[in-house]
Amino acid sequence: MTPPPPPPRHLPFLDAAPYRMAMGLRALAPAEWIELDAGWAADVAEKERLLAERPHEVVGAVPGSEEAAAEARDLLLAHLTEHHAALFRRDGAVLHGPQGRSWRLDEPGVAPLDAAGRWVQEDLCLMERGAEGWVLTAASLCFPNRWRLADKLGRAMAAIHVPVPGYADRLGVPVDRFFDRLAADRAVWRTNWGIQADARRFQPTGHGGVEGTDVTPATAPDRLVLRVERQTLRRLPRSGALLFGIRTHIHPLRAVVRDAATAAALAEAVRALPPEMAAYKSMTGFRDALLAWLDGAAQSMR
C-alpha cells in the first residue's frame, strides 16, 4: 500500500484576527474529514499502549449509546476505504491498513468507538441530544489536552466547558444552536492551539496549572511546543448524533518559528490572549520568557 504523506503543519495563529471568543468553524470537504500522515504508525502504537495499560481512562460509553457509536464506526470504515483506498482496504470481516496492519471487524467485546479509534490518529467523541442539551455519550480519547474522559462522559456541553473562560456567556447558546442545525450532508472543522512545556500527547491533568517556571528565553525554543488540535464535526445521518474528531499535532517551537514573520505573529497572538485564557492554557509560568525569545527571534531573523 502507498505510505501516508508527511504530516501537515497547522499554524492557526498566522491568519488569526485579534483574539475573540468564537467558534471559528470552516466548511470541510468530505474527502478531507480524516487526516492520515507519516506519524500514523507512532500515533496508533501510542494509542494501543494506552488502551492496553489504561483502558478505563481512554475509552468509555454510557448505556444506550451503542447504536449511534456503531453508526459512527461504520461511517469511518466507509470513509477510509473510499477516500483513503491507497491505505485501507476491506476484505470481508477484516480491515487492512498501513504498514501491514489489520483488524477484525467482528472482534467480540470491542466497543464501536474503541475499534474505530484504533484505525486513525484522531480521537473520536460522540455527542447525542438529551434533555440538558448535547451530551458526550461515548469516546475513544487517547490524547486528551488537560481533561479526563471520566469527568466529562455523560455530561452536557455546558457542564463540560465550565472551566473554559467565557464559554457560558459567549459560546454556550450559539454552540448548542449550531449543533441542532448542522445538516448530515455538511461537515465543519476548526483549530485550537496553545504553547506547552509538556510534549506528551496523553495529558489528562487539569487546565490552569502553572508549569514551565524554569523556562528562560534561551531555553524556550527547545523546552516549549506548539500543540494544535484540528477538530472536526459531522452529523450521523441515521441516529442524528454528532461525531467530534480531535487530531492532535505537536511541534517543537524551534521547528515552528523559522522566520521573523512567524515569530512576530506568534508573539502577537500570545500577547492578545486575555489573562484568564493564558492562565487556562497554563502559559503564565513561561509567558514572559516565551515572549522575550519570540521578540528576539523576530529581530534577529530579519
Side-chain angles (χ1 to χ4, degrees):
M1 286 186 176
T2 303
R9 294 178 75 242
H10 295 290
L11 305 178
F13 58 85
L14 287 180
D15 55 3
Y19 178 84
R20 65 187 181 91
M21 195 78 172
M23 287 188 282
L25 297 173
R26 288 174 277 184
L28 177 65
E32 297 175 357
W33 175 29
I34 298 296
E35 283 189 341
L36 294 165
D37 59 50
W40 181 89
D43 287 350
V44 168
E46 177 64 2
K47 281 190 170 191
E48 290 176 342
R49 182 188 71 81
L50 291 164
L51 287 160
E53 298 176 3
R54 314 171 78 147
H56 299 297
E57 294 182 62
V58 297
V59 173
V62 302
S65 64
E66 296 82 6
E67 182 177 349
E71 184 184 5
R73 175 201 59 204
D74 294 345
L75 183 68
L76 179 60
L77 174 63
H79 173 85
L80 293 175
T81 54
E82 177 183 357
H83 295 289
H84 298 280
L87 298 172
F88 288 88
R89 175 178 57 85
R90 182 175 183 175
D91 182 11
V94 177
L95 176 65
H96 299 280
Q99 302 187 1
R101 300 294 300 275
S102 63
W103 307 265
R104 288 205 62 83
L105 299 174
D106 56 358
E107 191 75 29
V110 180
L113 285 193
D114 184 358
R118 296 170 187 259
W119 306 336
V120 294
Q121 292 163 269
E122 272 87 354
D123 284 328
L124 303 170
C125 298
L126 186 71
M127 310 291 296
E128 296 184 78
R129 197 64 162 96
E132 298 179 359
W134 286 92
V135 176
L136 177 62
T137 60
S140 170
L141 184 77
C142 291
F143 304 142
N145 186 14
R146 314 293 174 86
W147 60 284
R148 296 181 178 88
L149 179 57
D151 296 338
K152 311 295 186 180
L153 192 64
R155 305 184 73 185
M157 289 289 287
I160 288 172
H161 288 91
V162 164
V164 182
Y167 181 88
D169 295 335
R170 303 176 191 175
L171 285 185
V173 172
V175 166
D176 281 353
R177 186 182 298 126
F178 182 83
F179 282 12
D180 287 339
R181 297 176 178 176
L182 182 64
D185 61 353
R186 183 186 175 204
V188 295
W189 72 289
R190 68 185 296 272
T191 53
N192 184 36
W193 69 274
I195 306 295
Q196 297 183 353
D198 189 338
R200 292 175 297 178
R201 295 181 184 275
F202 178 69
Q203 292 195 43
T205 56
H207 284 278
V210 178
E211 62 181 46
T213 55
D214 59 337
V215 173
T216 67
T219 63
D222 299 308
R223 283 285 315 279
L224 301 178
V225 297
L226 172 72
R227 182 173 181 137
V228 178
E229 291 182 348
R230 176 186 183 264
Q231 303 172 350
T232 62
L233 187 70
R234 63 182 304 175
R235 185 178 302 283
L236 307 182
R238 188 172 65 249
S239 65
L242 296 172
L243 185 58
F244 182 57
I246 308 169
R247 174 65 204 284
T248 299
H249 295 272
I250 296 179
H251 306 291
L253 204 56
R254 189 179 291 280
V256 171
V257 180
R258 299 174 177 175
D259 54 59
T262 303
L266 183 53
E268 182 180 3
V270 170
R271 284 192 170 94
L273 289 174
E276 64 273 14
M277 184 57 72
Y280 170 74
K281 291 177 177 285
S282 303
M283 293 171 58
T284 54
F286 55 78
R287 183 178 179 275
D288 290 345
L290 168 63
L291 287 171
W293 177 72
L294 289 172
D295 290 342
Q299 290 292 327
S300 64
M301 293 180 177
R302 287 179 177 174

